[in-house]
Amino acid sequence: MTDSVSLQLDINGQMRTLKVEPRVTLLDALRDHLDLTGTKKGCDQGQCGACTVHVDGERMLACLTLAAQVEGRAVTTIEGLSAPGADLHPVQAAFLENDAFQCGYCTPGQIMSAVACIREGHAGSDAEIREYMAGNLCRCGAYPHIVAAVRQAAAHHATEAAR
């Protein structure tokens, strides 16, 4: 068995090279090898959603994904939602405006799921938002604020799309 593998990963639009053990998860590669600590380690069993990232535009749990599985695919983390120095992504801004972050630990995963929820067209009602955000847990109980933030960002998205 190989001790380590060399990977080329497209992270937030930048090619990154790292050498890791083949069993290293995407979550650990991001946090421990690439210093991208915005993606949180929660349950580490795929049940809390704190580690949600986008791979080729689809939400994915980084704790259940091997880094080697995403070689050649585009990975977006919370750090990559908006360019450095640019305005916040509309979902990030809506979370701030609606006090949807509370303690903040689950916020990156919630935001990544919210972006996908809106992009996938599942923000038509509060019930639909709750259903598509159900894989992300918040211990603070900010769910009403999170739903309000997603609703606000979805309305912004619809307005922008209509232009």
Side-chain angles (χ1 to χ4, degrees), residues 55-67:
V55 176
D56 292 336
E58 302 287 327
R59 56 183 131 174
M60 188 171 280
L61 298 172
C63 73
L64 297 182
T65 305
L66 296 175

Side-chain angles (χ1 to χ4, degrees), residues 62-132:
C63 73
L64 297 182
T65 305
L66 296 175
Q69 289 177 288
V70 299
E71 186 168 33
R73 301 171 72 186
V75 177
T76 305
T77 68
I78 191 72
E79 292 94 341
L81 274 186
S82 60
D87 290 339
L88 292 175
H89 185 281
V91 173
Q92 292 172 310
F95 266 64
L96 283 173
E97 290 176 27
N98 289 280
D99 194 23
F101 51 88
Q102 295 208 354
C103 86
Y105 195 80
C106 72
T107 304
Q110 296 275 5
I111 289 173
M112 297 305 287
S113 285
V115 169
C117 175
I118 294 166
R119 186 174 46 227
E120 294 166 6
H122 300 295
S125 69
D126 287 0
E128 190 176 28
I129 292 167
R130 280 189 208 96
E131 180 177 336
Y132 279 86

Side-chain angles (χ1 to χ4, degrees), residues 48 100-104 106-107 110 136-143 146:
C48 74
F101 51 88
Q102 295 208 354
C103 86
C106 72
T107 304
Q110 296 275 5
N136 291 79
L137 302 179
C138 168
R139 290 189 174 104
C140 301
Y143 295 114
I146 292 168

Side-chain angles (χ1 to χ4, degrees), residues 9-16 26 30 34 36 70 73-77:
L9 301 179
D10 177 355
I11 308 290
N12 299 328
Q14 290 187 317
M15 290 305 293
R16 308 284 300 262
L26 177 57
L30 292 169
L34 299 172
L36 293 169
V70 299
R73 301 171 72 186
V75 177
T76 305
T77 68

Side-chain angles (χ1 to χ4, degrees), residues 28-68:
D28 289 339
L30 292 169
R31 292 184 57 81
D32 300 339
H33 298 275
L34 299 172
D35 295 323
L36 293 169
T37 57
T39 304
K40 301 302 181 203
K41 183 179 268 193
C43 68
D44 212 19
Q45 299 176 354
Q47 296 181 6
C48 74
C51 64
T52 303
V53 297
H54 295 171
V55 176
D56 292 336
E58 302 287 327
R59 56 183 131 174
M60 188 171 280
L61 298 172
C63 73
L64 297 182
T65 305
L66 296 175

